[in-house]
């Protein structure tokens, strides 16, 4: 049975995120294995070189157990500690959803009980917050990439965010804001289509909006208005593209 691990309260536990002491002690290649700094967690004078080797051999002989050898290398003693290290490493510099972290723990063969304990603890202290993740995702992807609500919903679903949370996040965008963004996208792309015939311009501009999640009706209306402002004859452009 997996024991309940009591973690000390730290800046991480208060939602401040992994601190520099974690970043300094971990490598991107480690799969949840703690890589201690020289002199940390291995006794006085520990480090690289002959002296460190003698110390390690001495401790190994005194304990005489494989688990002691693993501890000297800095490996977590139980799945909960290992899961905690993996999640902290993955969260360093990049927010992630609970599902993303759960998938990562499953891939690394962390037992479900240990994974659930760690993920729930991280939610309690605010290190995992799917609602905040979804809000930030909508803000960034709409204003940064011009994505419409439909595309944002699709992306958040792939991240494992709950449907209710997704609806609340994309609700930040109303149809007026969405259309204003569509017009900005078309205005930036319009110049590169000059010289093409009208129908090709229509397909290229409307197709760009469709890939970003804008509906057919809005895309056609926005593109037609932009072409009219350039003096194009838009008669017959009411047909679906």
């Amino acid at each position: 049975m997996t024991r309940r691990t009591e973690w000390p309260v730290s800046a991480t536990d208060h939602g401040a995120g992994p601190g520099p002491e974690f970043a300094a002690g971990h490598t991107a290649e480690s799969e949840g294995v703690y890589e201690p700094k020289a002199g940390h967690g291995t006794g006085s004078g520990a480090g690289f070189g002959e002296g460190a080797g003698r110390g390690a051999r001495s401790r190994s002989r005194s304990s005489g157990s494989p688990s002691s050898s693993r501890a000297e290398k800095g490996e977590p003693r139980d799945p909960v500690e290992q899961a905690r290290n993996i999640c902290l490493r993955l969260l360093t510099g990049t927010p992630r959803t609970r599902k993303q972290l759960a998938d990562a723990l499953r891939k690394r063969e962390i037992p479900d009980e240990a994974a659930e304990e760690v993920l729930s603890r991280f939610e309690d202290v605010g290190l995992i917050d799917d609602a905040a993740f979804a809000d930030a995702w909508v803000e960034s992807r709409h204003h940064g990439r011009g994505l419409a609500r439909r595309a944002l919903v699709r992306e958040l679903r792939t991240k494992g965010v709950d449907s209710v949370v997704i609806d609340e996040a994309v609700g930040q965008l109303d149809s007026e804001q969405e259309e204003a963004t569509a017009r900005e996208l078309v205005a930036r792309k319009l110049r590169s289509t000059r010289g093409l015939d009208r129908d090709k311009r229509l397909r290229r501009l409307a197709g760009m909006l469709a890939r970003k999640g804008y509906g057919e009706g809005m895309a056609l209306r926005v593109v037609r208005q932009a072409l009219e402002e350039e003096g194009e004859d838009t008669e017959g452009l009411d047909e679906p593209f």
Side-chain angles (χ1 to χ4, degrees):
M1 179 176 70
T2 304
R3 62 184 178 80
R4 174 74 180 188
T5 303
E6 296 295 335
W7 296 317
V9 176
S10 64
T12 296
D13 288 334
H14 288 291
E21 68 280 2
F22 169 77
H26 286 68
T27 62
E29 294 78 17
S30 63
E31 297 297 329
V33 177
Y34 181 72
E35 299 289 349
K37 295 177 287 186
H40 177 69
T42 55
S44 176
F48 296 106
E50 183 180 355
R54 287 199 300 270
R57 287 194 296 271
S58 174
R59 286 190 296 275
S60 179
R61 286 194 297 269
S62 64
S63 64
S65 67
S67 61
S68 176
S69 177
R70 287 195 299 272
E72 289 168 4
K73 295 178 182 178
E75 297 179 6
R77 292 171 178 261
D78 63 33
V80 171
E81 292 180 14
Q82 188 179 21
R84 180 174 181 265
N85 286 346
I86 292 171
C87 288
L88 285 173
R89 178 174 60 81
L90 291 174
L91 287 167
T92 301
T94 305
R96 297 178 191 267
T97 66
R98 178 172 177 134
K99 182 180 184 300
Q100 287 177 306
L101 293 173
D103 289 345
L105 295 178
R106 192 176 302 111
K107 182 178 179 181
R108 290 161 176 77
E109 299 182 348
I110 300 297
D112 290 344
E113 184 180 352
E116 180 64 25
E117 178 178 338
V118 171
L119 294 173
S120 295
R121 170 62 171 165
F122 274 37
E123 279 190 327
D124 289 343
V125 300
L127 286 175
I128 301 175
D129 188 338
D130 282 4
F133 177 96
D135 288 344
W137 188 268
V138 168
E139 176 72 16
S140 172
R141 299 287 283 176
H142 178 73
H143 294 289
R145 298 289 302 278
L147 298 188
R149 286 174 290 186
R150 186 165 58 184
L152 293 168
V153 168
R154 184 166 57 245
E155 289 187 340
L156 287 171
R157 282 177 179 165
T158 67
K159 304 292 183 185
V161 180
D162 183 77
S163 296
V164 174
V165 175
I166 292 174
D167 290 342
E168 292 177 353
V170 298
Q172 301 174 39
L173 301 176
D174 57 28
S175 58
E176 292 182 0
Q177 175 63 51
E178 205 171 41
E179 184 163 336
T181 302
R183 294 186 188 282
E184 292 174 4
L185 292 170
V186 170
R188 291 200 296 264
K189 186 75 172 176
L190 199 61
R191 179 177 296 178
S192 66
T193 67
R194 288 171 184 163
L196 300 176
D197 65 57
R198 186 197 65 176
D199 290 343
K200 284 185 178 180
R201 298 186 80 187
L202 170 67
R203 287 194 297 270
R204 185 166 297 185
L205 294 169
M208 177 269 294
L209 292 179
R211 289 191 295 274
K212 292 180 178 292
Y214 292 90
E216 183 179 283
M218 178 184 290
L220 181 60
R221 182 171 64 255
V222 168
V223 172
R224 177 174 181 171
Q225 182 176 347
L227 293 177
E228 286 177 346
E229 290 173 356
E230 283 208 336
E232 284 274 15
D233 179 8
T234 61
E235 184 178 355
L237 290 185
D238 291 327
E239 301 175 1
F241 55 88

